[in-house]
Amino acid sequence: MKTFNVIKQNSSCCTTAKDIAVQETFNDLNKELPIVIIGAGPIGLAAAAHLVEKNQSFILLEAGSEIAHNIRTWGHVTLFSPWRYNINKAAKVLLEETDWQEPSLETLPTGHEFIDLYLKPLAELAQIKPFIQLNTKVMGISRQLNDKMKSKYRVNQSFKIYVEKGDDISIIEAKAVIDATGTWGNPNPANSTGVWLQTEKALAEHIEYGIPDIKVNSSRYTNKKIAVIGGGHSAINTLLSLVELQKENPSTKLVWIMRKNSVDEVYGGKEKDALEARGVLGIRIQELVETEKIEVVTPFYISMVKKDEKINIIGTLNDEQTVLTEFDELIVNAGNRPDFTINNELRLSIDTVTESAQALAPLIDPNVHSCGTVRAHGEEILRQPEKDFYIVGAKSYGRAPTFLMATGYEQVRSIAAYLAGDVEASQSVELELPETGVCSSNLNKSNTCC
C-alpha cells in the first residue's frame, strides 16, 4: 500500500507535490526488496523461519564459515534449558514437513547437539538454504544515499548493507534489517570498571574469554595456577570442567575471583529451581567450594591484570588494596557487551546503562530486577528511531545477562508479523517460559538465579 503525505492548509511550505511523488517512488521500489537478517544463530534462523511463514523474502548473512559459528566455540557446554524451550515454533513446523527427528524435549543438548540436531537441519531447508550467505561480514549499514545526519525522505529509503566476502566488497539493498549478531565474541575485560587496558591485552596468550574446552586443551591448564573471574553460570561451568582436570592432576590450583558480597549469592535456587540443570550447577559448585577444591576470593574488584614473571591481579578486597600473585592462566567469564560498529550510521535509541534497546531496559535492568521472568515483548518494544531496523536476541539486551532463547524467538515472531503487515499478530503474546527459581528480594544482590 502506498504512503501519502497529506498537505493540510497550515502544513509546512516545504512539503511539495514533488516530495510526495518521490516518496511514492521509494515505497514502490522498496516493496520488492528482501529483509536482511544479520547473524545465522538460533535467533537469526528463527527470524528466517517466521519470514518464510509470512511469505516474506529475506537474505541471511553470517560472518562465520558455518551457521551458528559462535555457538560452535562453546559446543562442549551443556545448556541448562531442555530442548522444549530451545526449538522455535515456526522452525518446528517447517522441519516436521521433512524426515527430521525431533530430539526428546526434556533432555539437555550440548552446544554441538543444538547445532547438529536442530540448527543445521533448519538451515538446510529448501525455504532457507538458498538465502544464507556464509563467510559474509557486514561492515556497516546505512540508508540509500544518506548518512545518519540526513532526514529528508529517510524513512522511505532502502537500507544499504555493506558486506565483505573474501577480498570483495558488495552492497545489499533491503527494505528492513534485523540485527541478530548477539554479543558473544565481544567480551568484557577482567577489569571491574569495564575498561580495556593494554596490560590485559598484552596477556592474550594467557587469557581465555568464555568457556574453554578444558579436555581438548588440558595441557594448557594441567598443574597450573588458574584464576577464573566472574560470578555467573559461565564461571561455574568453567570451574566444574577444571575440577575434573584437578582430580587427575592435584597440583592444579583453582582460584575463583568475583565481586559478589558472598559466594552464597552464586548458588541460586539449587533444588528449588524449576530448571533442574541450572539448580544442579549451584549444588555442585557449593560442594566444591565447601570441600576447598576451589579457593574463593570475594568481594574482589580488579583494577589491573599484569605480567611480571607470572600474572598478578591487582585490586581491592574489603576496601584494601590487594595483589593476588603467581597465576599462570586466567579465564575471564565477566559477560559480554554489544558491538554497535556496524550500526553507526543508523539512528538508534540505546539505554545508557544496559546498552539494550531503550524501551526494553526497564524490564531487564539488573540494578532494578533481582530476578524473575522478563515480560513478553516484541516489535513495539524493540522498535528503533530508524524505521524497520531492529536489534534482537542477546544484543537487544545489551550487557544485561538475563536473556533466554525463547524470549528471542518471541521477539522475531512479532517483528516478522509486523513487517508482513500483520499488526494484530505482532501485538499478541505467544511466549511460555519456565519459572526462574528462587529470587532474592535484596536488590543489592545480583540476579543469581537468572
Side-chain angles (χ1 to χ4, degrees), residues 152-408:
K152 193 171 185 180
Y153 307 136
R154 187 176 191 88
V155 298
N156 302 99
Q157 291 173 325
S158 63
F159 290 95
K160 299 287 189 178
I161 298 95
Y162 292 78
V163 300
E164 185 178 74
K165 195 165 186 175
D167 295 328
D168 295 329
I169 299 288
S170 59
I171 304 172
I172 298 173
E173 195 171 4
K175 65 180 179 182
V177 178
I178 300 173
D179 181 346
T181 54
T183 59
W184 193 260
N186 195 41
N188 292 323
N191 190 338
S192 295
T193 63
V195 177
W196 279 95
L197 300 177
Q198 189 57 41
T199 53
E200 181 169 346
K201 294 178 181 179
L203 287 169
E205 293 183 0
H206 297 280
I207 303 180
E208 287 206 61
Y209 299 88
I211 310 173
D213 192 341
I214 304 301
K215 290 181 180 178
V216 169
N217 202 9
S218 60
S219 60
R220 175 170 180 172
Y221 299 105
T222 298
N223 298 323
K224 303 286 181 63
K225 184 178 180 182
I226 306 153
V228 176
I229 300 168
H233 291 106
S234 294
I236 293 175
N237 273 304
T238 297
L239 286 160
L240 293 175
S241 296
L242 287 168
V243 166
E244 292 301 310
L245 177 71
Q246 188 187 57
K247 288 178 182 177
E248 298 179 6
N249 304 276
S251 295
T252 305
K253 184 172 177 55
L254 307 178
V255 181
W256 189 7
I257 301 170
M258 67 184 96
R259 291 180 286 182
K260 298 187 184 299
N261 291 325
S262 167
V263 69
D264 292 342
E265 296 179 26
V266 182
Y267 302 147
K270 295 185 287 187
E271 63 278 343
K272 296 179 182 179
D273 197 314
L275 287 177
E276 181 181 354
R278 183 170 55 192
V280 167
L281 289 179
I283 294 170
R284 291 176 63 193
I285 201 69
Q286 183 176 8
E287 291 173 351
L288 294 169
V289 170
E290 291 179 351
T291 56
E292 299 183 349
K293 298 290 192 300
I294 300 169
E295 177 187 347
V296 176
V297 182
T298 193
F300 191 86
Y301 293 83
I302 298 173
S303 58
M304 185 183 300
V305 294
K306 186 177 181 181
K307 192 173 191 309
D308 293 321
E309 290 186 8
K310 291 199 172 185
I311 301 171
N312 294 333
I313 302 175
I314 303 162
T316 302
L317 178 65
N318 296 323
D319 298 324
E320 292 187 7
Q321 183 81 9
T322 305
V323 180
L324 309 177
T325 61
E326 299 295 307
F327 290 97
D328 300 293
E329 297 286 337
L330 307 183
I331 300 174
V332 180
N333 294 140
N336 301 281
R337 59 179 65 179
D339 182 352
F340 295 108
T341 303
I342 66 171
N343 314 127
N344 280 343
E345 290 306 319
L346 302 177
R347 296 177 177 182
L348 305 182
S349 181
I350 302 299
D351 182 63
T352 56
V353 177
T354 61
E355 295 186 11
S356 69
Q358 181 73 54
L360 183 57
L363 307 180
I364 63 174
D365 186 352
N367 292 296
V368 178
H369 301 284
S370 65
C371 201
T373 56
V374 175
R375 79 174 160 83
H377 58 275
E379 186 277 333
E380 188 173 5
I381 289 288
L382 297 169
R383 196 178 294 172
Q384 290 288 339
E386 196 71 70
K387 185 178 182 298
D388 296 332
F389 173 78
Y390 299 92
I391 297 172
V392 300
K395 187 172 179 178
S396 72
Y397 275 48
R399 299 194 190 194
T402 48
F403 176 73
L404 292 174
M405 210 176 308
T407 306

